[in-house]
Amino acid sequence: MGRNRSESSATMASIQSTAAASSSSVSMGGMMMNSSDMALYDIPLTSPSQQASSTNFEQLLHDLQSTSVDPRSVRKAACCAALIETVQERRQKNPNQQRQQGGVVVSPNELFLATLAALTSLQGTLEQQVKQLRNDNTDSNNSSSNEVETTALPLLEILRQILPYVAHPSNNHGALLLHQFGTVSRMLRMFVALGYAYTASSSSSTGTKKDNAATSSGANALLRQILKTTTMLLLIAPPPSSSASTNTQESEKEMAKLLHATIIRMFQDVRPKVRKAAFGCAMDVVIVASSSSSSSSSSSSSNSSPLVQQRKVIADFLWEYCHAVITQYKSAGSKKNKNDSSSSSKNLIHILRLLSTALPYADDVRIRVRFGDDCLALMGGGGGEGGEVSMEVIRETLITLLSCLEKGEEDNNDGLLSSSMEDQEVGTKGTTTAKEEEEISKFAARALAFLLQHRPNAANSSFSSAGDVNVVYGRCLMGCVERMLVRTGDESTLASKMLAMKLFPNVLTSILHLCDEAAEGDDGGAINSAKMCGTEFNQFVSRMIPIVTSYFSPDGTNSSNNNLQRVALEAISNCVDIIRQALKIQYRNAWGNVLPGGYATFTSTLALNLLEMRGGGGGNSELEGKLQTWLKELVVSLLRLRDDVEKDGTARTAVEYATSTVMRGMGLELFLSLVDFTDDHVDIGDKKKKSLNTESGGGLWWLLPLMKQSASADASALASSSSITTKSHLSFFQGRVLNLARRCDAASADGHRTAAEASIQKQRVVEVWSLLYYFCLHPIDMKENFAAVAKTVVKALGDHSRYPKLV
């Protein structure tokens, strides 16, 4: 023991002197990298030859000894050189060991033992310095900071990078690391204690402010480096023999102890950098455990690899801790005093933020369902002062709930959710089982019912980010509906779809009302919140309406699909009235977003369905009639709003932009068939309202410039497009469109009109004729009606004296 202790001291003396000398030659600066080398985690899972592993390790040694302008690389190179020198000195004292290693400069095991010995010796030195700090010895302030920076940090980083090679299967299956795991674990836990002791001592020390700040900064860097090294140790440590269940339990207990004393302990650290580093390490654990499980299941090897299972166990420790924090917060309720409640809320918020990032990577649907139920319980009033939950906790809870609903690793990692039409056939590409599909669909249904009954009252709270709460609430509603609608399979998923479509109008109403709630107030923040909520409304309509309308054409032999069609039609019928509510003045702040977005998208989607039914032949005449009626209601209501807000420039611009978007979405022919420029009254539902056309020269004629712009904009794209919206009939232009030109031409020749009024009518004639280009792009009835249209065109060109612009 005495001999080993003296060797460790000699090693530390060599490292400290070399590192100090090299550190003095470079400037102090740079920040520790926050990115972890994910490739190192995969080294123990690969099985290359021993020669390939040795080559990779030699490259690592070269990298460790390479220097750059970064002072950290200089210190790390100095420490690595001192460790290699120590190993070679030991070899000279032991000829047998030298012969076994052959020409290798240093082996992973030798470098590992030398690093471990150096860290153990350094630990004793730092403990003495902490005691001196407690005795207000200001001279030890600088020395302790230097020890951490020049020696502890480089040694811990070297240990982190060599651990995968010590645990490599070609290195006796990592037997040395398995044997020394307890020693390394105790050393890391002691360094954590030293890091916190440094912080406490520097805060109570009578030294200068600059010295205390340097000591505190060194302690922070030490804790962050310990986190990285601990994460590497937990993820690459070889599991014990599978035949020894007792050894497995002891190993898991030791890993849980290390995890709780390092990563989990720093979840609640008051220093943001340390806390962020702890969260980053926890994310590494979750991601690596999930990716290892996925790659193992997709490869020829089974998912029962001991190392993969061990990584999943470590990730489960993190999930259990997070669940315990939430459970504790819920169970405490009104028993906590105000200070305890504030501290508990902060801890809960930190955990919820971690979960919101980590849950999409969970490799088991049940994990997300479990935390999703926890989120619903939190929103139901569990915990908080007096049983009430703060708005900040509600916001973080909603964000976490959204992560539970998002697609994760088991869903093939395709983003939030893929299109329903891609998943209509049974047997999607994801690896989710039918049981998991059912479980997540049932949870989404529970969450949707709960959210509709428990809308957060963010508008009446003093929380500064109340608008964010409304936005996240809307996203959660959309996530629930999307989860229920896009899934396919057995009767349970069909039931989820039926329920989602029955609740669809309620969800649409709730998201639309968020725009009204966010718009309360005259400040810029209210307008911005209304725009954000309007964006969520647009997202919901653009993603969900095509899914619902896809059930308009069922398979007559399938009763389930017929039921889906019936429910889908009922949902859309109710949604038409809800969408028209967006035209109310209370949503004015969101019109710039909602009208060209959700309103125009909803209208265009229905129009596309109508055009497809007409173009396919043998369509459902009753359904076509309903679609025609709905579209006329939507279009005419939008046009009437333009008259109502004619003197409001911002609102008028929003309406005109939305009208132009609707034109492009449904095509000019269908749009003009819905708009009547001549009738004195317009039918809307069971009522007859005054026509939008007026004798004063206003009315619907403001549409002509928009139609001309829509017909001529991006002409090359329209010419090459084969979309159903660009297909038209020359007969429609001849009979319907030119009729408007004839009326305007007759009005221009009316002697009772002034010269200005006659000029306006002539300009309208030119604008109507400009639509000819659009109807000639993809005419369906070219053979039947080209001759008649050509004759009319030739006649119009003959009147070039009155209309030179036609030529």
Side-chain angles (χ1 to χ4, degrees):
M1 286 292 293
R3 182 173 176 273
N4 292 336
R5 200 170 291 166
S6 63
E7 285 185 2
S8 299
S9 301
T11 302
M12 272 310 305
S14 173
I15 291 174
Q16 290 168 354
S17 61
T18 307
S22 61
S23 179
S24 62
S25 64
V26 294
S27 60
M28 301 297 294
M31 295 285 290
M32 181 172 289
M33 292 180 63
N34 197 26
S35 61
S36 57
D37 190 358
M38 299 294 292
L40 290 174
Y41 298 134
D42 294 331
I43 291 178
L45 288 176
T46 60
S47 299
S49 63
Q50 186 172 359
Q51 182 179 359
S53 178
S54 300
T55 303
N56 293 336
F57 182 70
E58 289 175 3
Q59 181 61 43
L60 173 64
L61 289 179
H62 178 269
D63 295 340
L64 290 175
Q65 296 179 84
S66 301
T67 59
S68 65
V69 294
D70 189 349
R72 294 171 299 173
S73 69
V74 178
R75 291 190 288 265
K76 185 168 60 177
C79 289
C80 186
L83 290 171
I84 294 176
E85 183 180 351
T86 302
V87 171
Q88 292 175 343
E89 289 177 356
R90 288 180 181 176
R91 285 185 182 179
Q92 292 177 358
K93 296 178 182 179
N94 190 347
N96 293 331
Q97 182 180 2
Q98 189 171 7
R99 284 195 299 270
Q100 291 175 358
Q101 297 301 332
V104 178
V105 176
V106 60
S107 68
N109 289 354
E110 288 176 318
L111 189 58
F112 168 72
L113 291 174
T115 308
L116 188 59
L119 285 168
T120 303
S121 177
L122 178 62
Q123 181 180 313
T125 304
L126 295 178
E127 288 176 353
Q128 292 297 324
Q129 292 175 355
V130 169
K131 291 180 181 179
Q132 294 176 5
L133 278 173
R134 290 172 179 169
N135 295 330
D136 290 340
N137 188 341
T138 56
D139 293 335
S140 63
N141 232 339
N142 292 329
S143 61
S144 62
S145 177
N146 291 335
E147 292 285 356
V148 169
E149 189 173 12
T150 62
T151 310
L153 297 180
L155 285 176
L156 286 168
E157 177 61 19
I158 291 171
L159 177 63
R160 184 184 78 88
Q161 295 196 40
I162 65 174
L163 279 174
Y165 295 94
V166 181
H168 197 272
S170 65
N171 191 6
N172 197 19
H173 298 283
L176 177 61
L177 182 57
L178 182 61
H179 178 69
Q180 294 288 339
F181 182 87
T183 303
V184 181
S185 174
R186 285 191 296 272
M187 180 199 67
L188 291 173
R189 297 200 303 269
M190 285 300 299
F191 268 109
V192 171
L194 284 172
Y196 280 102
Y198 269 120
T199 304
S201 300
S202 63
S203 61
S204 60
S205 174
T206 58
T208 64
K209 186 176 181 180
K210 182 178 180 180
D211 291 340
N212 292 339
T215 303
S216 177
S217 176
N220 293 353
L222 176 63
L223 291 175
R224 296 199 300 272
Q225 182 60 57
I226 291 170
L227 286 169
K228 295 171 66 177
T229 307
T230 300
T231 305
M232 181 63 69
L233 178 63
L234 288 170
L235 291 174
I236 59 88
S241 174
S242 58
S243 61
S245 58
T246 305
N247 292 342
T248 302
Q249 293 176 0
E250 290 297 325
S251 175
E252 292 179 357
K253 182 185 292 186
E254 187 67 30
M255 287 189 167
K257 187 187 299 184
L258 176 61
L259 181 69
H260 280 267
T262 53
I263 297 177
I264 290 179
R265 178 178 181 178
M266 298 183 207
F267 280 171
Q268 314 303 340
D269 198 288
V270 295
R271 293 161 290 194
K273 283 187 176 180
V274 176
R275 188 170 63 247
K276 183 178 179 181
F279 288 161
C281 290
M283 282 298 302
D284 281 354
V285 171
V286 173
I287 293 174
V288 171
S290 177
S291 60
S292 299
S293 176
S294 300
S295 61
S296 182
S297 61
S298 61
S299 63
S300 57
S301 60
S302 64
N303 196 29
S304 59
S305 169
L307 182 57
V308 172
Q309 291 298 322
Q310 182 172 275
R311 290 177 172 182
K312 293 179 67 175
V313 169
I314 298 171
D316 287 341
F317 288 149
L318 289 173
W319 299 129
E320 289 298 331
Y321 172 77
C322 295
H323 179 68
V325 172
I326 297 175
T327 303
Q328 183 181 7
Y329 181 86
K330 291 188 298 183
S331 60
S334 58
K335 298 179 182 178
K336 302 188 295 288
N337 57 43
K338 188 173 183 179
N339 292 332
D340 291 341
S341 178
S342 176
S343 175
S344 180
S345 296
K346 288 181 179 178
N347 294 342
L348 176 66
I349 288 171
H350 292 158
I351 294 302
L352 289 174
R353 288 174 179 170
L354 170 63
L355 287 172
S356 65
T357 309
L359 280 171
Y361 295 96
D363 58 354
D364 193 335
V365 170
R366 290 170 294 182
I367 295 174
R368 288 190 279 138
V369 171
R370 181 186 190 187
F371 283 107
D373 287 330
D374 286 341
C375 291
L376 298 182
L378 283 174
M379 290 189 62
E385 184 180 358
E388 296 181 359
V389 183
S390 68
M391 197 55 61
E392 186 176 8
V393 171
I394 289 179
R395 181 186 66 175
E396 299 301 331
T397 303
L398 285 170
I399 294 174
T400 305
L401 178 61
L402 183 61
S403 298
C404 297
L405 294 166
E406 285 180 346
K407 269 194 149 184
E409 289 295 303
E410 85 290 346
D411 291 313
N412 226 20
N413 201 21
D414 291 332
L416 179 59
L417 287 174
S418 60
S419 170
S420 171
M421 301 309 295
E422 297 176 359
D423 291 334
Q424 289 298 313
E425 297 180 1
V426 177
T428 54
K429 295 181 180 180
T431 58
T432 315
T433 64
K435 186 176 181 181
E436 290 172 336
E437 294 276 6
E438 179 182 356
E439 192 168 355
I440 195 67
S441 295
K442 287 182 177 179
F443 166 70
R446 293 198 305 273
L448 180 60
F450 180 90
L451 291 173
L452 289 174
Q453 298 176 25
H454 297 81
R455 187 172 70 177
N457 192 14
N460 295 330
S461 70
S462 58
F463 184 50
S464 58
S465 300
D468 294 345
V469 176
N470 286 333
V471 170
V472 181
Y473 174 74
R475 291 178 183 173
C476 288
L477 289 175
M478 181 169 64
C480 291
V481 175
E482 201 165 14
R483 269 290 184 185
M484 297 168 69
L485 278 180
V486 303
R487 300 304 175 187
T488 60
D490 55 14
E491 292 298 327
S492 61
T493 54
L494 289 175
S496 295
K497 290 182 179 182
M498 296 277 287
L499 178 61
M501 282 192 279
K502 288 179 180 179
L503 294 177
F504 193 87
N506 303 76
V507 177
L508 186 64
T509 301
S510 297
I511 297 180
L512 179 61
H513 285 174
L514 294 178
C515 302
D516 176 25
E517 191 173 283
E520 294 180 0
D522 298 327
D523 58 345
I527 297 176
N528 187 48
S529 296
K531 290 181 179 179
M532 290 191 299
C533 292
T535 301
E536 297 308 314
F537 176 80
N538 298 341
Q539 284 282 332
F540 181 75
V541 172
S542 63
R543 297 171 74 162
M544 295 294 101
I545 293 298
I547 298 176
V548 177
T549 56
S550 66
Y551 296 102
F552 280 179
S553 301
D555 180 5
T557 62
N558 192 323
S559 59
S560 298
N561 285 347
N562 290 332
N563 291 333
L564 286 174
Q565 185 208 29
R566 176 181 53 81
V567 176
L569 287 173
E570 291 176 358
I572 293 298
S573 177
N574 294 327
C575 288
V576 170
D577 294 330
I578 297 170
I579 289 290
R580 287 174 57 199
Q581 289 181 16
L583 303 176
K584 292 183 177 179
I585 194 65
Q586 66 199 70
Y587 301 110
R588 181 190 176 280
N589 285 339
W591 277 350
N593 250 2
V594 170
L595 297 186
Y599 194 98
T601 301
F602 183 87
T603 306
S604 300
T605 303
L606 296 186
L608 286 175
N609 279 269
L610 177 60
L611 292 174
E612 288 174 357
M613 290 180 183
R614 289 177 176 177
N620 187 332
S621 58
E622 181 181 357
L623 179 55
E624 289 182 18
K626 289 182 178 180
L627 288 171
Q628 179 88 10
T629 302
W630 294 337
L631 285 172
K632 189 165 187 177
E633 292 177 9
L634 291 166
V635 170
V636 173
S637 298
L638 180 63
L639 302 184
R640 178 170 287 107
L641 177 63
R642 198 270 186 189
D643 274 7
D644 294 339
V645 298
E646 186 172 5
K647 296 181 180 180
D648 186 341
T650 303
R652 185 179 67 251
T653 300
V655 174
E656 291 180 355
Y657 182 36
T659 304
S660 178
T661 305
V662 170
M663 288 179 185
R664 292 193 299 270
M666 66 170 55
L668 287 182
E669 182 170 321
L670 178 58
F671 181 84
L672 286 170
S673 69
L674 299 172
V675 179
D676 199 332
F677 285 77
T678 58
D679 290 344
D680 292 333
H681 293 83
V682 179
D683 293 335
I684 298 182
D686 297 330
K687 299 180 180 179
K688 286 194 174 183
K689 297 186 178 181
K690 187 177 179 180
S691 173
L692 293 168
N693 188 31
T694 65
E695 296 298 329
S696 60
L700 294 180
W701 296 106
W702 58 270
L703 291 172
L704 287 178
L706 295 181
M707 288 190 288
K708 178 182 177 181
Q709 182 182 8
S710 178
S712 59
D714 200 6
S716 60
L718 285 173
S720 59
S721 174
S722 60
S723 171
I724 194 171
T725 59
T726 62
K727 295 180 180 179
S728 57
H729 296 80
L730 292 175
S731 59
F732 185 88
F733 179 80
Q734 175 84 358
R736 184 69 178 269
V737 178
L738 290 184
N739 185 47
L740 298 177
R742 296 186 187 100
R743 288 183 57 218
C744 295
D745 180 59
S748 66
D750 188 353
H752 296 88
R753 295 183 181 272
T754 64
E757 291 176 342
S759 176
I760 292 174
Q761 297 297 332
K762 287 184 178 182
Q763 178 62 29
R764 289 174 179 172
V765 172
V766 176
E767 289 175 343
V768 171
W769 268 101
S770 66
L771 303 181
L772 174 63
Y773 167 78
Y774 176 86
F775 285 88
C776 291
L777 288 176
H778 300 284
I780 299 175
D781 55 348
M782 172 69 78
K783 293 181 180 180
E784 296 84 353
N785 297 294
F786 177 76
V789 174
K791 186 182 297 185
T792 306
V793 171
V794 171
K795 184 178 179 181
L797 292 176
D799 199 9
H800 62 275
S801 59
R802 295 185 63 211
Y803 299 103
K805 291 184 180 180
L806 292 181
V807 182

